[in-house]
Amino acid sequence: MDPFRHNPNNNFPPLNPTQLQQYLQRIGAVVDGQAPDLTLLNHILDRHSRSIPFENGQLFFLDSKVDISTDALVQRLVLDKRGGYCFQHNTLLLTALRALGFSVTPGVSRSSVWDPPTNSRIYGGITHMQLFVENVSQPGGMVGTYIADMGYNQIGLTQAIELKVGAVVPCAAGESHTIKAASVTGPGNFMLCHKRAEGAPLADGTNTDDLYADVFYFTREKFRPQDYEILNFYVSHCPKHIMNRSFIASIVSETGGRKVVVDRKYTRREDAQNKQLATVVVMESEQQLAAIMKDEFGVTMSAAEIEGVRVKLFS
């Protein structure tokens, strides 16, 4: 009997040894018998965020629906050196962390977006996946539960953040995240929030007291693989979802900044020390977009995708 079949506490099997080595090689992580502690966790997240891009080209340009089975994720994100969205990134990450000895449970969240007609932030459906890494050893002998999330484009986490109200961690391009208490659907829940770099324009709906804006709202409810199949089906098929309305790519730069493509616009954000590398490019052809994806994101687009770029963005 498959021990991962029905237990919501242990519901995704770890990568097998061959798959784990392929994943570690893909992200350039060095793991020499290290214990599953906070240092190792952040090493994996740092290398993953710099190596595997967020990108939805498979879905947006080819209308090719996304398979989140382990074999399919290893093939696409690891062996084919492509990227993916949250269900792809975080399912792969979950199975890799379990193979490294971490205790991990998956969760879901509601993205927060600014709604101009009501001049307020609204919260969508539960269409984002994040992970809870439990009993993580910290410096000094303490243990804690941390959020790990490699699948939130443009403003996502680049290291683990402790699941504790008031916790703060830095992220790419001189930005940061914090955890706040929240009760959108009930008491005792949480909000991940993001602060832009000093001097950057504030996002709509930013809290003017601490300059943090809501990213996503979540509870500690545990979910099973079947739940993610349903959620992934919705994201892959719903024409209203952002993954079906725009092409988005994002990766952490070699200097710790953030490189982002949204449709025809390429942006590179950097911290104050590397601000000379910051740039904005409005692309003028499908060939230019394909070249930027290859040079800046390590993604080689197929001829069929490039034709999809032309049809969707430049025709």
Side-chain angles (χ1 to χ4, degrees):
M1 180 65 69
D2 181 358
F4 301 97
R5 186 176 180 194
H6 295 300
N7 184 354
N9 294 310
N10 204 14
N11 51 13
F12 287 88
L15 296 181
N16 65 43
T18 298
Q19 292 169 330
L20 178 61
Q21 289 307 308
Q22 290 169 332
Y23 170 76
L24 295 175
Q25 183 177 9
R26 166 79 163 109
I27 67 173
V30 178
V31 179
D32 294 322
Q34 291 173 259
D37 59 12
L38 184 58
T39 299
L40 177 59
L41 176 60
N42 278 330
H43 175 59
I44 295 297
L45 299 182
D46 176 69
R47 294 308 313 160
H48 186 125
S49 68
R50 295 171 186 261
S51 304
I52 306 180
F54 182 103
E55 56 110 350
N56 63 327
Q58 172 187 8
L59 178 60
F60 186 68
F61 295 126
L62 298 178
D63 194 30
S64 176
K65 305 310 179 186
V66 172
D67 184 346
I68 57 172
S69 65
T70 298
D71 288 346
L73 294 175
V74 170
Q75 184 63 50
R76 181 168 177 82
L77 275 67
V78 176
L79 302 179
D80 293 345
K81 294 183 168 54
R82 292 299 302 256
Y85 55 51
C86 68
F87 296 117
Q88 296 167 286
H89 275 274
N90 287 331
T91 300
L92 177 65
L93 178 63
L94 186 159
T95 57
L97 291 178
R98 284 187 168 167
L100 290 168
F102 288 95
S103 175
V104 192
T105 57
V108 298
S109 54
R110 301 175 184 270
S111 292
S112 169
V113 296
W114 183 253
D115 182 48
T118 61
N119 199 39
S120 65
R121 284 196 167 270
I122 60 174
Y123 302 92
I126 48 172
T127 58
H128 181 67
M129 177 184 189
Q130 80 281 343
L131 307 178
F132 301 109
V133 191
E134 300 164 327
N135 301 314
V136 178
S137 298
Q138 306 165 330
M142 302 292 287
V143 297
T145 295
Y146 285 77
I147 298 171
D149 181 6
M150 292 287 98
Y152 206 97
N153 69 86
Q154 304 185 60
I155 57 171
L157 291 164
T158 57
Q159 63 177 281
I161 184 169
E162 189 169 9
L163 184 54
K164 182 172 66 176
V165 172
V168 176
V169 293
C171 68
E175 301 165 358
S176 65
H177 290 95
T178 192
I179 299 286
K180 295 184 179 182
S183 55
V184 174
T185 61
N189 298 316
F190 305 93
M191 190 78 70
L192 179 73
C193 304
H194 172 261
K195 180 190 284 187
R196 294 187 176 184
E198 184 176 355
L202 298 180
D204 290 329
T206 295
N207 185 318
T208 55
D209 293 333
D210 62 9
L211 305 184
Y212 279 97
D214 297 351
V215 177
F216 60 70
Y217 168 81
F218 62 98
T219 73
R220 282 303 316 270
E221 184 178 356
K222 296 175 180 178
F223 292 81
R224 295 171 56 193
Q226 295 91 328
D227 299 315
Y228 297 101
E229 292 287 351
I230 294 169
L231 298 175
N232 181 59
F233 183 90
Y234 169 81
V235 170
S236 288
H237 289 78
C238 179
K240 296 180 180 179
H241 195 277
I242 188 62
M243 291 297 98
N244 292 294
R245 293 189 289 110
S246 285
F247 174 61
I248 302 172
S250 178
I251 197 169
V252 174
S253 71
E254 62 276 9
T255 53
R258 184 97 64 176
K259 296 185 282 189
V260 176
V261 168
V262 179
D263 291 331
R264 294 189 292 178
K265 185 177 181 180
Y266 167 69
T267 304
R268 178 168 177 169
R269 307 196 306 269
E270 292 285 348
D271 62 17
Q273 291 182 328
N274 297 291
K275 61 182 180 180
Q276 74 279 4
L277 299 173
T279 188
V280 177
V281 176
V282 177
M283 293 171 281
E284 298 180 351
S285 70
E286 62 270 25
Q287 290 83 8
Q288 186 180 13
L289 187 147
I292 283 179
M293 289 303 299
K294 183 175 182 179
D295 295 342
E296 305 298 337
F297 296 83
V299 167
T300 300
M301 304 184 85
S302 67
E305 277 182 285
I306 296 172
E307 174 60 13
V309 173
R310 185 192 67 79
V311 172
K312 288 288 190 77
L313 300 181
F314 294 99
S315 63

